[in-house]
Amino acid sequence: MCEPKCNGGLGFKNLKLFNKALLAKQGWHLQMGGESLVYRVLKAKYFPMRDFIHTSIGHNPSYTWRSLISAQNLVIEGMQWRVGNGANIKIWQDKWLPGVSSHKVLSPRLFLSADMNVADLIDSGIARWKTEVIDNLFLPYEAELIKSIPLSVTLPADRMVWAETSNGNFTVWSAYKLAVRHFCWRACRDTLTTKVKLKRRNVIADDMYVCCHKEVDTNGHLFWGCLKAQETWAASKLQLLPLDAHLGSFMDLLWFVMMTNATGGEKYSQLVTNASALWSNRNEILYGGEGKTGPAMALWTTNYLQEY
């Protein structure tokens, strides 16, 4: 499944992220509701009074439920409200604003209640936005975005859609790409579960990096300092620092690429995909699998990006 389509595969770069995307698909179906037996059983047992995105793992969960909950954050990140009558959408808490990546309102709330609904901004009698109220409450660019949202004269119920596709429908491929972006965010924030972090919490005793056993398993070492990482970057076409330079984190590496390479998404995509390959290779070896060489990972990244 991780081989490029030209080699007979499905073109997914990372099987773990692909699995997360598949789980997100099931989580999305649970969020949207339905009449299936699986939905009724899981809802009755794990979230009878809530929806999927607002529930927790609970006590003594099954393996199936733990797996589904692991994709909950991905579902939350990819969902967005489409305004109907605004009754179910919290102005400052929910994702509903078009034209911005976060889909959330950034204007200061000031003295207003956090529980205000979008319905408070709509004149239900004539199905139009309260333009004067909006202009007074929101920053100018957000006010214009809100007023640009079309309203139906029937003011139907608000609808949840998948923000990663133009038609609002969930697809596994869009969820996979979102998972890759989520990986990049975690790498930048240094929240990936490295062995150093696990040892700090007294979960494990050994914090040596599994690919080389020469240094501890940190963000900076696995993405740059390790020989495996340097082989991968050397085989790529990115203009990077000399291989003996010290980079303490993935964020340092990303910042250097942003400062020294041509602008545009191509170089960033190559960087993130290479980093994702390094992380996947590390996990593969950690759990008893066979690792890949640096040039093999770089070639895989190149084929992947050329196809997509």
Side-chain angles (χ1 to χ4, degrees):
M1 286 187 288
C2 292
E3 289 295 328
K5 290 182 178 179
C6 60
N7 293 340
L10 296 181
F12 290 98
K13 180 67 181 174
N14 184 313
L15 192 58
K16 183 177 181 180
L17 295 182
F18 175 52
N19 182 59
K20 185 66 65 92
L22 289 174
L23 290 170
K25 177 181 180 180
Q26 302 308 316
W28 179 254
H29 289 324
L30 293 177
Q31 176 62 28
M32 300 304 289
E35 297 299 326
S36 70
L37 178 60
V38 172
Y39 170 78
R40 295 201 302 268
V41 169
L42 290 175
K43 181 168 181 62
K45 184 173 183 179
Y46 294 111
F47 56 109
M49 306 301 294
R50 303 179 181 180
D51 53 13
F52 175 73
I53 63 172
H54 293 111
T55 193
S56 62
I57 193 169
H59 301 290
N60 194 28
S62 66
Y63 175 78
T64 297
W65 181 244
R66 288 200 308 271
S67 299
L68 291 169
I69 281 293
S70 71
Q72 185 185 55
N73 286 337
L74 191 60
V75 174
I76 293 173
E77 192 170 346
M79 59 165 282
Q80 175 193 352
W81 283 100
R82 185 163 291 171
V83 178
N85 56 27
N88 294 314
I89 308 173
K90 303 294 184 185
I91 295 175
W92 280 279
Q93 299 177 31
D94 291 330
K95 297 167 61 177
W96 62 281
L97 198 63
V100 291
S101 59
S102 68
H103 301 292
K104 282 193 170 186
V105 170
L106 298 179
S107 299
R109 183 166 52 85
L110 302 177
F111 57 88
L112 299 170
S113 169
D115 292 326
M116 277 187 66
N117 293 326
V118 174
D120 297 320
L121 307 176
I122 298 174
D123 186 335
S124 59
I126 57 175
R128 290 185 180 178
W129 293 106
K130 298 177 181 178
T131 56
E132 186 175 349
V133 172
I134 293 171
D135 289 335
N136 289 330
L137 289 181
F138 300 94
L139 297 171
Y141 79 96
E142 288 191 337
E144 294 304 315
L145 287 175
I146 293 171
K147 291 184 292 184
S148 71
I149 300 174
L151 296 175
S152 170
V153 293
T154 61
L155 292 180
D158 303 311
R159 188 162 66 94
M160 197 173 289
V161 298
W162 185 249
E164 301 302 313
T165 57
S166 58
N167 60 9
N169 294 329
F170 183 98
T171 65
V172 173
W173 180 243
S174 67
Y176 175 77
K177 291 192 289 185
L178 180 60
V180 172
R181 295 205 307 271
H182 186 66
F183 159 80
C184 181
W185 178 84
R186 291 187 64 200
C188 289
R189 296 290 298 272
D190 194 14
T191 61
L192 295 172
T193 311
T194 58
K195 293 174 74 175
V196 164
K197 288 184 173 15
L198 293 176
K199 183 177 180 180
R200 194 177 299 148
R201 300 176 199 163
N202 296 319
V203 176
I204 60 174
D206 174 27
D207 61 357
M208 297 301 289
Y209 186 46
V210 69
C211 293
C212 66
H213 298 285
K214 294 180 179 180
E215 298 286 344
V216 294
D217 184 21
T218 63
N219 188 315
H221 183 70
L222 77 92
F223 289 126
W224 180 257
C226 181
L227 179 61
K228 184 78 68 176
Q230 294 190 4
E231 288 176 350
T232 304
W233 297 121
S236 73
K237 296 180 180 180
L238 288 171
Q239 299 174 14
L240 297 178
L241 286 163
L243 296 180
D244 59 353
H246 174 73
L247 291 176
S249 69
F250 178 77
M251 192 64 188
D252 291 341
L253 182 59
L254 178 61
W255 181 255
F256 181 81
V257 171
M258 291 173 64
M259 293 296 100
T260 59
N261 286 268
T263 58
E266 180 181 349
K267 297 296 183 182
Y268 306 147
S269 296
Q270 186 177 1
L271 173 68
V272 172
T273 308
N274 266 326
S276 175
L278 285 167
W279 177 250
S280 298
N281 189 67
R282 175 255 190 202
N283 292 335
E284 185 72 20
I285 296 173
L286 181 64
Y287 295 108
E290 183 177 351
K292 297 180 177 62
T293 66
M297 284 188 281
L299 178 61
W300 202 0
T301 295
T302 301
N303 291 337
Y304 171 80
L305 293 174
Q306 284 178 347
E307 188 163 3
Y308 296 102

